[in-house]
């Protein structure tokens, strides 16, 4: 029996093949919900879905889609649930395009905007008419949106402003819209080889709890905001960073 509301809710998780998105998908599926994971890397997405179905018996369906491409999003709609109870906008990454001068700057800023903002906005807007009257939209951003972090932080901060508008628009139909802003989270692809033992120790020292985050920590925060008990919370930013940056 599901602990996160009635069993059988329809949940869509973007970037659900790895890291935080995978942890979120597992938590929802373990509680008896039907989970659709969306991402652009077919092999990764299908491998994750197959593993979770085969090894854990979880109800997980993969849908391959480049969420920054409006044509791809339109094509994916035929494969997404007709009713969506929970949408978790988790897909995103840092643009690593090299280059100097205005062209390099444009590539970096445009890439971060497309990877982090459009991937959430295009799908959410496309699913507006499918949200149930107790729907939940939870968007994963970053501590960089609050502390500062160049083009990546700016793109995540744009999601905060967008979420405020979205919450006002969808609130009258019973849909809540909230943000989870993680700090440093190990066990994802985001940092690559940069998050070595020395860097983990340094970042752990910036927190109040003496450790960096885990994908499961963020998944727990997402599940709370998606729960029936959180139905009177909307338009909020929940920091999930172990005290790395205090709330404000």
């Amino acid at each position: 029996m599901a602990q996160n509301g009635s069993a059988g809710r329809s949940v869509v998780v973007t970037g659900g093949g790895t890291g935080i998105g995978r942890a979120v998908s597992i938590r929802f599926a373990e509680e008896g919900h039907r989970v659709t994971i969306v991402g652009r890397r077919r092999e990764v997405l299908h491998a994750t879905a197959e593993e979770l179905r085969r090894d854990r018996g979880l109800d997980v369906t993969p849908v391959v889609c480049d969420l920054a491409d409006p044509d791809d999003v339109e094509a994916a709609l035929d494969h997404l649930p007709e009713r969506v109870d929970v949408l978790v906008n988790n897909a995103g990454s840092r643009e690593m395009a090299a280059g100097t001068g205005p062209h390099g700057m444009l590539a970096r800023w445009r890439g971060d905007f497309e990877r982090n903002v459009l991937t959430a906005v295009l799908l959410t807007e496309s699913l507006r008419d499918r949200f149930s009257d107790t729907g939940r939209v939870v968007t994963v951003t970053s501590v960089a949106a609050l502390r500062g972090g160049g083009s990546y932080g700016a793109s995540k901060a744009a999601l905060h402003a967008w979420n405020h508008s979205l919450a006002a628009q969808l609130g009258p139909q019973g849909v809540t819209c909230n943000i989870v802003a993680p700090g440093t989270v190990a066990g994802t692809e985001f940092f690559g080889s940069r998050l070595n033992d020395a860097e983990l120790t340094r970042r752990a020292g910036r927190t109040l709890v003496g450790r960096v985050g885990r994908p499961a920590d963020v998944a727990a925060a997402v599940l709370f905001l998606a729960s029936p008990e959180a139905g009177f919370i909307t338009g909020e930013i929940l920091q999930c960073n172990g005290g790395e940056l205090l709330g404000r």
Side-chain angles (χ1 to χ4, degrees), residues 4-22:
N4 190 246
S6 58
R9 288 200 297 172
S10 178
V11 180
V12 176
V13 181
T14 70
T18 61
I20 291 171
R22 185 178 187 276

Side-chain angles (χ1 to χ4, degrees), residues 5 17 32 34 60 71 77 80 86 111 123 126 144 168 174 183 188 208 211 236:
R34 301 180 304 277
V60 178
D71 292 330
L77 292 177
L80 294 174
V86 180
L123 183 62
S126 297
T188 75
L208 301 182
R211 69 170 178 88
E236 292 296 332

